[in-house]
Amino acid sequence: EVQLVESGGGLVQPGGSLRLSCAASGFTFSNYGMNWVRQAPGKGLERVSTINYNGGYTWYADSVKGRFTVSRDNAKNTLYLQMNSLKTEDTAVYYCSTLVGGTKKEGQGTQVTVSS
């Protein structure tokens, strides 16, 4: 069974940093591209970042470019999102996701709140 478990969220002041993690199991993590997506209160899902299977390609939404860094450790089956210079508009539930067997898989999410 595919499982994605996010962690690392919390309350942080504007300008602060957080590092999110996504622990993957139930599939060959090193074979799959991964995404970070977020959902802010009252808004739809927004793709934040994508990384390919070996970390050789990354993509960022304009809203986070230069502030967020996605990475992965295939030996640990873990995806990361380093978030720096956080803004109040980054407040959202953050999810990691992937496509396995043509089906979207997503974790339960981790709440990030940026507030003074």
Side-chain angles (χ1 to χ4, degrees), residues 23-52:
S25 61
F27 65 108
T28 306
F29 179 73
S30 58
N31 286 353
Y32 290 85
M34 298 292 298
N35 306 296
W36 284 102
V37 298
R38 67 186 180 185
Q39 187 163 27
K43 296 189 177 181
L45 280 172
E46 175 191 15
R47 184 165 63 113
V48 171
S49 184
T50 294
I51 187 168
N52 76 335

Side-chain angles (χ1 to χ4, degrees), residues 9-114:
L11 173 64
V12 63
Q13 292 186 340
S17 297
L18 282 174
R19 188 195 197 199
L20 305 184
S21 298
C22 169
S25 61
F27 65 108
T28 306
F29 179 73
S30 58
N31 286 353
Y32 290 85
M34 298 292 298
N35 306 296
W36 284 102
V37 298
R38 67 186 180 185
Q39 187 163 27
K43 296 189 177 181
L45 280 172
E46 175 191 15
R47 184 165 63 113
V48 171
S49 184
T50 294
I51 187 168
N52 76 335
Y53 72 102
N54 66 357
Y57 168 80
T58 58
W59 174 91
Y60 299 94
D62 287 343
S63 57
V64 307
K65 203 172 293 183
R67 301 187 298 120
F68 289 11
T69 302
V70 63
S71 62
R72 64 191 298 159
D73 186 337
N74 285 344
K76 295 182 178 179
N77 288 349
T78 303
L79 174 73
Y80 302 101
L81 186 68
Q82 177 67 44
M83 306 187 296
N84 298 329
S85 302
L86 282 161
K87 305 176 181 180
T88 55
E89 51 262 44
D90 295 318
T91 295
V93 179
Y94 284 73
Y95 303 88
C96 59
S97 73
T98 189
L99 275 176
V100 177
T103 302
K104 181 182 178 182
K105 302 295 184 182
E106 199 170 85
Q108 83 292 344
T110 186
Q111 175 71 48
V112 172
T113 302
V114 185

